[in-house]
Amino acid sequence: MDHPPSLVRRCLAEFIGTALFVLVGPGTVAFNGMITADTGRPTTLADIGVIGLAFAIIIAAMVYTFGRISGAHINPAVTVGLASVKRFPWREVPAYVTAQLAGGVAGALGIIVVLGTNGAVIGNLGATVLAPTTGYVQGIAIEAIETFILMIVIMAMAVDSRAPKGFAGLVIGLTVGGIIMMTAGPTGSSFNPARTFGPYVVDSLFGGHISWLEFPVYVIGPLIGATLAAFTYEAMTRPSTSSLPLKPGDKEEVGG
């Protein structure tokens, strides 16, 4: 009988998965920032589409690569959301979250390797920041909505045993890309604390422009959204008592 991977191996998968996700996703954002700065033109919806596609591709790749090893959470909010409905053990949450945050930093350092320090100074390592017109509470709400959408899709496609096999990575990746295309403007579309944490840390070391005062937005919102989505999906799919077979001695009630 096959034994599941050890916690160390699963955390390694979470570290590598998150690192590659940050390298490609926020790395594309940073590269686009460098291009727009060089050409003097504003970011367009086409740019956002390319960025969303990059995120969709790397998320799908990481789910298919690491899903059978660690579950490919690559997002602390997803890990906490799963734990909140007993789909993941709470005792392993600290190890997973630590691996994800460390992976986010490693991925941001990878952007420096690929793009040089201009990736931080000009491209800001793709760090998520609130738009000037986005308030703090509004930012939390937007990040919660984004994560709610992502998490409820994860519950349906990757957690529910009735989901069609083989489509989880594709559907989850496309969901991430679609969310970014719609919400990149107000908050930068993080819905992943590790995705924000890595670029923030490395930006702080290499001359990027971030405000740590905004970081709680990218923690509180995703945690609320993921937890609410997990409970919502469980409530919607839990078998109702009326659909369970009667036990000996039970009386069937009709009409109420």
Side-chain angles (χ1 to χ4, degrees):
M1 183 174 64
D2 292 335
H3 295 284
S6 67
L7 179 59
V8 171
R9 292 183 179 182
R10 286 183 283 129
C11 286
L12 179 60
E14 287 295 304
F15 171 81
I16 296 173
T18 309
L20 296 180
F21 161 63
V22 171
L23 173 63
V24 174
T28 302
V29 179
F31 184 45
N32 181 75
M34 292 170 64
I35 292 174
T36 55
D38 185 56
T39 59
R41 65 174 179 81
T43 299
T44 67
L45 187 57
D47 296 323
I48 301 300
V50 170
I51 290 168
L53 180 60
F55 274 88
I57 291 170
I58 191 60
I59 284 291
M62 294 302 97
V63 171
Y64 287 125
T65 301
F66 296 114
R68 61 185 176 274
I69 301 174
S70 68
H73 300 183
I74 59 178
N75 184 337
V78 171
T79 300
V80 171
L82 292 173
S84 71
V85 291
K86 300 181 180 179
R87 295 284 189 167
F88 187 79
W90 276 109
R91 68 180 181 277
E92 295 183 356
V93 169
Y96 259 52
V97 171
T98 300
Q100 291 155 357
L101 294 176
V105 173
L109 287 170
I111 299 174
I112 294 290
V113 172
V114 175
L115 300 180
T117 56
N118 279 345
V121 176
I122 299 176
N124 216 32
L125 298 181
T128 53
V129 295
L130 297 179
T133 57
T134 302
Y136 211 84
V137 174
Q138 181 188 9
I140 291 173
I142 293 170
E143 287 292 311
I145 292 169
E146 294 166 348
T147 318
F148 182 93
I149 298 169
L150 171 64
M151 189 67 193
I152 210 159
V153 170
I154 289 173
M155 293 294 294
M157 295 303 300
V159 177
D160 196 325
S161 61
R162 298 164 295 183
K165 304 301 180 184
F167 288 95
L170 177 63
V171 175
I172 293 169
L174 290 176
T175 298
V176 170
I179 293 170
I180 289 171
M181 291 178 195
M182 190 267 175
T183 61
T187 67
S189 295
S190 174
F191 49 101
N192 182 338
R195 178 259 182 270
T196 293
F197 180 75
Y200 269 42
V201 169
V202 180
D203 264 330
S204 298
L205 300 174
F206 287 91
H209 308 283
I210 51 91
S211 171
W212 279 98
L213 292 176
E214 294 182 1
F215 182 67
V217 169
Y218 301 104
V219 176
I220 298 170
L223 290 179
I224 292 173
T227 303
L228 182 60
F231 275 103
T232 299
Y233 190 84
E234 291 284 277
M236 290 190 301
T237 57
R238 184 184 304 117
S240 62
T241 55
S242 61
S243 66
L244 297 176
L246 293 175
K247 295 179 292 185
D250 287 345
K251 295 182 179 179
E252 183 175 5
E253 296 183 3
V254 180

